[in-house]
Amino acid sequence: MKAVHFGAGNIGRGFIGEILANNDFEITFIDVNDTIIDALKARESYTIALADDSHEQIQIDHVTGLNNAKEPEAVIQAIAEADILTTAIGPNILPRIAALIAQGLEARAQDTTKQPIDVIACENMIGGSTFLKSEVQKNLANWQEIEATVGFPDAAVDRIVPMQQHDDPLFVQVEPFSEWVIQETGMKSGIYLNGVHYVADLEPYIERKLFSVNTGHATVAYTGALQGYQTIDEAMQDHLVVIQLKSVLEETGRLLIEKWDFDPEEHEQYIEKIIQRFKNKYISDAITRVARTPVRKLGTEERFIRPVLELEKRNVQPEHLYETIGMIFNYHDPEDEQSRQLQALLAEKELSEVITEVTGLTDVEMIDLIRQNIEKYAYVAA
């Protein structure tokens, strides 16, 4: 069987590529990075290393690459021949590849012997495949004909793949843990991958990941930055950072258990697994990477404000989430555009006005709680 995967970066090769290879797919990676694409073409294999005591190395074979900027016709042909199409290219890039995917699906539709195909966006976003579907649809006049044989099931993915540099451009180091969940109700192909969890309703798993892994990772980053640490694993050696992480995850865990009926004991084990992942000494993830784009992370539908809103609706005041939000407003990274933007807003406008503008909150009491925590941690940041 054949797979086309958009995005030959570390997540694409180190996570999605591994699972596709384990399911006996020949993989064509699509990217604009000449170095990686040329190496894939020349070698037709690459190596993954697990970031743990075993340092196990896994060879991924039967791969190649295409440059979508230079070889669009070859990409269209690859999609026409594919049995599955996946992406791990970044939410902002999805609209840029939609037209090419549309052309590939049109070419594929010419062959009436082809089985239905699923297009799965494995992105760090809610409803990634649904979003990609809407973008692809804009480029197809015969959408109803195409839609009959093309599924766009949404997915949630989780694996820490830190920023890294190696002499071998294809080598990638990943944490042993990985989770890929697909909503089967959106599928058309009937292809079920070993190593993937299929569910009828994806939303509980997306929120569990967003409010546990993403919220937790960012909590460590901002708490650690305030203490002067440079990496996540370094910060996790500080018991004050770990206490803040556990406290935040207890608050989001309460929401997830009440809202989605997760088993409390199983969720506690899930949280403990997350804590151990963040402590992994073989993954030296820069705090600046995890803490980047603070304005986005403070959005109404994002990892901090959304659980705060839902907990407040349940008459629960999540004091540790409020504390972390206060830390985020005090985060300074001159290399990060959004950090500079946030500090500029704080310098130019009244504090409550900035809180409303960034978070979308209008509740006076919630805004005041955030203001108190911003002022509280301003002394530490100074």
Side-chain angles (χ1 to χ4, degrees):
M1 294 191 294
K2 295 182 178 181
V4 168
H5 177 81
F6 279 82
N10 292 337
I11 291 288
R13 300 194 317 279
F15 181 8
I16 309 304
E18 181 191 13
I19 290 182
L20 291 173
N22 287 342
N23 283 271
D24 298 323
F25 279 90
E26 298 175 13
I27 310 166
T28 299
F29 286 96
I30 315 297
D31 208 295
V32 294
N33 186 313
D34 280 328
T35 300
I36 290 177
I37 293 302
D38 290 346
L40 287 167
K41 286 180 177 178
R43 289 159 45 183
E44 299 182 339
S45 68
Y46 63 90
T47 303
I48 297 170
L50 297 184
D52 63 4
D53 289 333
S54 73
H55 300 294
E56 179 185 353
Q57 294 200 350
I58 303 164
Q59 181 165 310
I60 307 300
D61 296 313
H62 308 298
V63 299
T64 188
L66 290 171
N67 187 315
N68 50 297
K70 298 178 179 179
E71 305 169 282
E73 293 302 324
V75 174
I76 291 169
Q77 184 59 35
I79 295 172
E81 297 174 359
D83 298 288
I84 192 170
L85 191 156
T86 55
T87 79
I89 202 165
N92 295 336
I93 309 299
L94 291 178
R96 302 184 198 175
I97 62 172
L100 198 55
I101 291 175
Q103 291 177 68
L105 294 177
E106 278 191 308
R108 195 175 186 280
Q110 302 306 309
D111 184 354
T112 56
T113 66
K114 296 295 290 184
Q115 295 297 308
I117 187 173
D118 288 321
V119 178
I120 309 168
C122 306
E123 309 291 349
N124 191 18
M125 67 184 297
I126 295 173
S129 299
T130 298
F131 173 70
L132 179 56
K133 177 182 178 179
S134 68
E135 293 297 313
V136 170
Q137 186 176 357
K138 295 175 185 176
N139 294 276
L140 287 168
N142 59 335
W143 170 247
Q144 289 186 335
E145 176 186 337
I146 298 294
E147 186 183 27
T149 57
V150 183
F152 286 84
D154 284 316
V157 291
D158 183 13
R159 188 174 219 176
I160 297 174
V161 183
M163 294 183 71
Q164 53 196 277
Q165 287 186 331
H166 306 284
D167 292 335
D168 178 356
L170 297 184
F171 181 81
V172 58
Q173 188 179 45
V174 299
E175 70 164 331
F177 175 88
S178 69
E179 182 177 64
W180 184 359
V181 186
I182 293 176
Q183 184 164 305
E184 60 185 341
T185 49
M187 294 172 60
K188 295 279 180 68
S189 72
I191 294 175
Y192 284 77
L193 302 171
N194 293 323
V196 172
H197 184 41
Y198 293 87
V199 297
D201 184 4
L202 188 65
E203 191 173 1
Y205 297 89
I206 289 178
E207 287 204 349
R208 185 181 70 165
K209 193 257 183 176
L210 179 64
F211 297 160
S212 304
V213 179
N214 295 44
T215 304
H217 214 194
T219 295
V220 175
Y222 294 116
T223 310
L226 210 62
Q227 302 296 327
Y229 296 115
Q230 301 299 312
T231 64
I232 296 295
D233 60 308
E234 180 186 21
M236 286 295 291
Q237 295 177 40
D238 188 325
H239 74 282
L240 292 177
V241 175
V242 175
I243 288 171
Q244 180 68 10
L245 170 63
K246 287 183 176 179
S247 299
V248 165
L249 293 186
E250 283 176 6
E251 291 174 349
T252 59
R254 177 173 178 175
L255 169 63
L256 291 163
I257 290 166
E258 288 187 14
K259 183 176 181 180
W260 298 114
D261 200 29
F262 284 116
D263 180 87
E265 186 175 333
E266 289 181 4
H267 189 73
E268 182 61 35
Q269 293 171 356
Y270 180 73
I271 289 175
E272 185 56 37
K273 184 178 290 185
I274 290 169
I275 292 169
Q276 295 308 313
R277 292 169 66 192
F278 295 165
K279 286 183 176 180
N280 188 337
K281 63 184 179 181
Y282 296 106
I283 298 180
S284 188
D285 210 354
I287 279 176
T288 51
R289 186 193 77 82
V290 182
R292 65 190 175 187
T293 62
V295 174
R296 178 176 66 84
K297 291 182 172 70
L298 286 168
T300 310
E301 293 299 317
E302 265 287 346
R303 63 204 72 189
F304 291 103
I305 302 302
R306 187 165 155 189
V308 164
L309 283 166
E310 295 206 33
L311 283 164
E312 288 281 8
K313 285 180 182 177
R314 291 168 169 79
N315 297 314
V316 177
Q317 189 176 98
E319 60 180 284
H320 297 98
L321 278 164
Y322 279 121
E323 285 181 346
T324 306
I325 291 167
M327 296 180 199
I328 302 173
F329 274 94
N330 282 289
Y331 176 68
H332 296 187
D333 178 5
E335 301 299 318
D336 182 77
E337 181 182 354
Q338 287 196 8
S339 180
R340 296 195 305 271
Q341 175 189 348
L342 182 57
Q343 295 311 309
L345 285 172
L346 291 168
E348 295 166 3
K349 299 182 178 181
E350 196 272 331
L351 184 53
S352 295
E353 184 182 352
V354 177
I355 294 169
T356 297
E357 181 176 337
V358 173
T359 66
L361 295 175
T362 56
D363 183 274
V364 175
E365 290 185 10
M366 295 174 67
I367 291 171
D368 190 56
L369 280 167
I370 291 175
R371 181 189 57 77
Q372 290 176 34
N373 278 286
I374 294 172
E375 292 172 346
K376 169 184 174 182
Y377 287 103
Y379 295 105
V380 181

